[in-house]
Amino acid sequence: MEDRVELTISIERVRKWLGAAVAVALAVMEIVICVQYMPETNAVFTYIVLALCCVMLDALVVLNFYVFKPLKVKFVAYGVQFFFLLLISAITANDFCVVLYCLANTEFYMSNENLKLNFIIFGVSVGVFVASFVIGWVRVYDGESTYNAVVQILGGCLFGMLILMIHFFITYGLMRFYRTSKRLSAALAEADANKAALEEAYKQLSRTAVYEERNRIAKDIHDNAGHSITTVIMQTEAAKLLIESDPEEAKKRIISANIQAKNALDQMRTSVHLLAGRAAETSLKDGIEEIVAQTVDSTDLKIRCDVQDVNLEEERARFLFNCVKECIANGIRHGGATAFYIEARLRSGEVSLLVSDNGRGPRGEIKEGYGLKSMREKAEQFGGTMRISGEPDEGCEVSVFIRSE
């Protein structure tokens, strides 16, 4: 809407300047025609009629440029204009009258975008010009031979029609080009403004995404690392109480605390790398083998692995790593496990993780704590699920399934 208003304002400015130029040119041509006609007649009345027609034609052209706006009013004014042009041509039979037609039609060609209406005005002006030229030539040059009359009339009509046609295509073409150019300029300006707005919106979204990712990482540190550290404190406190009465159980508690501490350290390192913009590139096989190496270091635990070399998106891989750590810690803490079996496979776009131990196994209904609940929820977010099974004194088995992408 604003572009259309701006284009209308631009056209109006052009109309004002062009209206003055057309009015001046029209007056000059009328003076030339009247001066050429003056020596050829002694009829004062006819000359007065000619002068009045010229004045009225000037007035109508100026009114069309500056006053008349509705199309119906303009059409009435153009009809009266053609009447005065007909009289001027019929009285003078001057070849320059075709210029008057061109100047009188200029306003309509530039103010109206409808090609059909412009063709109608062009056709009417051609018809009126031909009729007036024939009438004027026959009246002024009565007595010429038929051959000369036909040649002169045809030549004058064809010349006038050619001039009218050239004027029509040049005026309408220039105005069409001007309107298109203004619209393109407005469209480009709007596109630049939209581009700037989109760039600002993109920056804002980028900042929002960064803040959300940082909040997510902070929550991850709080939930996972914080939980692991809390477990370490609880296990070491329990080990202190059991170190004299049950040294073997105290040892298991200390081993479990050690695993949880390493788990917390790994989680914090990963989160720091993410904050620094460095994504983890460890494969599933490398990551799990590293966890196993850290876990069995300085302990009596036995862990056997059968893991395919699968490359996963960083967040999914990190989730599976945390599952392995959580399952090992739970097996030691709650089941007294001393051996684990870890298996990971990729089948039909789904990654399966199995962690089983030789611990005491579940007795009765399995109650999921914070760690297991978090594992289940995260697995569902990745389009998968989690299963826990086991029998008393036969160990526990945790299976996690997620989509690979």
Side-chain angles (χ1 to χ4, degrees), residues 360-368 388-393 395-396:
R360 290 186 293 271
R363 299 179 184 277
E365 183 182 356
I366 299 175
K367 295 182 180 180
E368 296 182 1
I388 304 175
S389 60
E391 296 293 337
D393 300 322
C396 183

Side-chain angles (χ1 to χ4, degrees), residues 176-386:
R176 187 178 181 84
F177 174 79
Y178 176 77
R179 289 189 181 95
T180 303
S181 176
K182 293 296 292 184
R183 288 194 180 102
L184 285 175
S185 298
L188 287 173
E190 183 179 1
D192 290 339
N194 290 338
K195 180 183 177 182
L198 286 173
E199 288 178 349
E200 181 60 30
Y202 176 76
K203 291 179 182 178
Q204 184 64 33
L205 285 174
S206 298
R207 288 193 291 267
T208 302
V210 170
Y211 294 147
E212 289 178 351
E213 181 64 9
R214 287 179 177 175
N215 289 336
R216 186 191 67 79
I217 293 171
K219 184 177 183 299
D220 190 57
I221 293 174
H222 176 271
D223 292 344
N224 295 322
H227 170 69
S228 298
I229 293 171
T230 301
T231 303
V232 169
I233 295 172
M234 293 174 62
Q235 295 286 13
T236 54
E237 289 292 335
K240 285 196 301 182
L241 297 175
L242 295 171
I243 197 165
E244 293 183 359
S245 61
D246 192 351
E248 189 65 28
E249 180 65 22
K251 181 181 178 181
K252 291 180 180 179
R253 299 276 184 169
I254 292 172
I255 291 172
S256 178
N258 179 264
I259 293 172
Q260 289 288 358
K262 290 179 178 179
N263 184 15
L265 182 61
D266 288 342
Q267 289 171 347
M268 285 189 287
R269 282 174 177 169
T270 302
S271 298
V272 169
H273 289 167
L274 289 174
L275 284 171
R278 298 196 300 272
E281 297 179 353
T282 307
S283 70
L284 188 61
K285 181 179 177 66
D286 293 339
I288 291 178
E289 288 180 348
E290 183 179 349
I291 293 170
V292 170
Q294 292 175 355
T295 303
V296 301
D297 184 31
S298 301
T299 69
D300 295 329
L301 293 175
K302 305 296 182 183
I303 301 178
R304 187 163 62 90
C305 291
D306 185 7
V307 181
Q308 284 185 344
D309 193 6
V310 179
N311 290 320
L312 287 178
E313 179 262 332
E314 185 273 333
E315 190 174 2
R316 282 175 165 78
R318 185 154 55 95
F319 164 65
L320 294 178
F321 298 156
N322 290 338
C323 289
V324 172
K325 296 173 185 178
E326 183 69 22
C327 290
I328 292 174
N330 285 341
I332 297 172
R333 184 168 64 250
H334 301 297
T338 59
F340 293 85
Y341 172 72
I342 302 172
E343 179 185 275
R345 293 280 185 270
L346 173 63
R347 298 185 183 91
S348 303
E350 184 179 68
V351 178
S352 62
L353 172 68
L354 170 68
V355 180
S356 62
D357 62 53
N358 65 345
R360 290 186 293 271
R363 299 179 184 277
E365 183 182 356
I366 299 175
K367 295 182 180 180
E368 296 182 1
Y370 174 83
L372 292 178
K373 285 182 179 179
S374 298
M375 284 170 57
R376 185 179 298 278
E377 292 173 358
K378 198 69 173 178
E380 291 174 353
Q381 289 180 16
F382 290 132
T385 186
M386 183 186 77

